[in-house]
Amino acid sequence: MPTRRTVLATAAGVLAGLPVLGSASASLAAPVPAAGSPIPDTLASRIAVGARRKADEARFPLTHLAVGWTGAAEGAAVRIRTAKGWGDWRPLHGCDGGRDGRATARRALLSVPGGVGYEVQLPGAGTVTELNTVDGPTRTTAAATGSSTPLSTRTVGRPYLSRAAWGADESLRFTEDGTERFPAAYFPVQTVTVHHSAGINDDPDPAATMRAIYYDQTITRDFGDFGYHLAIDEDGRVYEGRWSGTDRFPVYGGALGPNGRPQMNNAAHVGGFNAGNVGVVLLGDFTSRQPTAAARQSLVGVLAAIVALGGLDPLGTTNYVNPISGSTRTVPTIPGHRDWAATLCPGDLFYPELPGVRQDVADLIG
């Protein structure tokens, strides 16, 4: 009987014989932690707010700001104060996710390097979580960045950061009494959904942003872990998201499924439609800007690996059935988040490009 590792290796080998979609850049714009470099604790302060809050001085220098609110999606805005003064107001929008069976709240996570204060205005009551993911006391040291992504090593050809490489604090996945907040549950892959994080573009520290997303989704939003399975930064590096097991392969875990293929670990990126639905998020905001060529190339490679492993048709349509709740939805096999819910994700400018992404995936698989 084939093992999960054999199936993964075979699929990666098939993809390895196909043309490489670009190689890793010789000089990447935004650095990531070097092996052995210190990883800090995340500093966090959560505050309940009314429709408006102004904080000239946050409780500590900010790297990120997480804002949640009730009411309409439109009408939320923020401005940030740095050492140079107050910036302009900007609308808040995010990628609203959540675990199956739970209410989905409005949520936005901002990268605010150099931020010392902020002002928010919201359609209703909400919360603000002040975050600093770079200046806390050292918690551990970073694992090495891999030269390629285990899903399809030679095809993706992009650096890969495991949770240990970008600095996930695994203790956050457990309550004080040791209970796992989001226990693993494995299901056959039916679809692979594309998201954007709706954060800043030209992020100077994407690993710090990964730690901010992780804290916000695990603790503030009570997902219990990172909501997406994989993330891709603007340099095309691939990051492990949701914990899936103790081996080196992200996304998958547990026993092989009834079809003899590897199963994904359930996550929290599309409320009500998570089980069997792999989530891949591009770091950045693609409402009025396209992803970089490097990010798109890595996305195509990752999608090709996942659909090949699942025996899926990247140009097809899937009659999705949630194996937990029985909820159904007919969507493209590679949908955008807005194919599932009323959201701007994965960005007004990028969403119309998804048919081309699907074709690129199909061409890569052959």
Side-chain angles (χ1 to χ4, degrees):
M1 180 176 179
T3 65
R4 171 172 165 262
R5 184 173 295 275
T6 300
V7 172
L8 288 168
T10 300
V14 170
L15 289 170
L18 297 170
V20 175
L21 282 174
S23 57
S25 303
S27 177
L28 299 177
V32 292
S37 63
I39 296 291
D41 258 333
T42 292
L43 306 178
S45 176
R46 185 178 184 182
I47 305 157
V49 299
R52 195 176 188 103
R53 173 180 170 80
K54 185 177 183 181
D56 291 312
E57 296 286 343
R59 299 191 181 186
F60 39 74
L62 301 174
T63 61
H64 298 81
L65 192 71
V67 184
W69 68 96
T70 57
E74 305 297 326
V78 65
R79 63 175 181 151
I80 302 299
R81 191 173 80 85
T82 68
K84 297 180 180 180
W86 286 99
D88 295 331
W89 284 97
R90 49 176 161 161
L92 286 173
H93 61 272
C95 179
D96 300 329
R99 287 173 61 172
D100 293 342
R102 296 187 180 183
T104 300
R106 309 293 182 190
R107 200 81 198 167
L109 177 69
L110 306 171
S111 296
V112 291
V116 296
Y118 57 90
E119 184 174 9
V120 296
Q121 57 182 26
L122 305 172
T127 61
V128 173
T129 303
E130 303 171 355
L131 294 167
N132 183 312
T133 61
V134 301
D135 294 322
T138 297
R139 176 177 52 80
T140 188
T141 56
T145 296
S147 60
S148 55
T149 301
L151 287 170
S152 54
T153 54
R154 290 189 233 172
T155 302
V156 174
R158 297 289 176 173
Y160 168 71
L161 281 79
S162 66
R163 291 168 64 97
W166 58 259
D169 181 353
E170 299 297 350
S171 71
L172 296 181
R173 294 193 296 109
F174 299 88
T175 62
E176 291 184 0
D177 66 4
T179 302
E180 192 172 6
R181 297 180 188 274
F182 192 0
Y186 302 104
F187 301 96
V189 176
Q190 300 180 55
T191 56
V192 192
T193 299
V194 178
H195 301 259
H196 74 164
S197 66
I200 65 168
N201 299 313
D202 306 313
D203 191 335
D205 194 342
T209 294
M210 288 291 294
R211 295 193 293 273
I213 294 172
Y214 177 50
Y215 186 93
D216 181 47
Q217 294 187 336
T218 304
I219 302 300
T220 308
R221 301 173 72 174
D222 195 28
F223 292 0
D225 195 5
F226 206 92
Y228 313 100
H229 293 90
L230 296 170
I232 298 171
D233 73 17
E234 293 167 292
D235 288 311
R237 288 172 292 218
V238 181
Y239 297 73
E240 180 181 17
R242 168 76 162 126
W243 184 90
S244 63
T246 57
D247 66 18
R248 70 186 184 94
F249 294 106
V251 180
Y252 304 100
L256 294 176
N259 58 4
R261 296 181 181 275
Q263 301 191 98
M264 55 80 76
N265 188 21
N266 198 15
H269 59 102
V270 179
F273 303 99
N274 286 300
N277 181 8
V278 175
V280 181
V281 62
L282 298 179
L283 300 182
D285 186 343
F286 307 116
T287 304
S288 56
R289 174 170 160 176
Q290 291 288 357
T292 63
R296 178 172 171 141
Q297 288 169 348
S298 291
L299 175 65
V300 169
V302 163
L303 294 174
I306 294 170
V307 298
L309 286 164
L312 307 176
D313 176 6
L315 300 178
T317 298
T318 295
N319 296 316
Y320 170 88
V321 179
N322 188 313
I324 299 173
S325 68
S327 297
T328 62
R329 183 68 60 86
T330 299
V331 294
T333 301
I334 301 177
H337 188 178
R338 67 176 63 181
D339 291 312
W340 299 97
T343 174
L344 297 177
C345 181
D348 285 346
L349 204 60
F350 181 49
Y351 177 75
E353 298 297 314
L354 287 185
V357 170
R358 297 180 192 115
Q359 186 61 59
D360 288 345
V361 172
D363 291 344
L364 180 59
I365 294 174

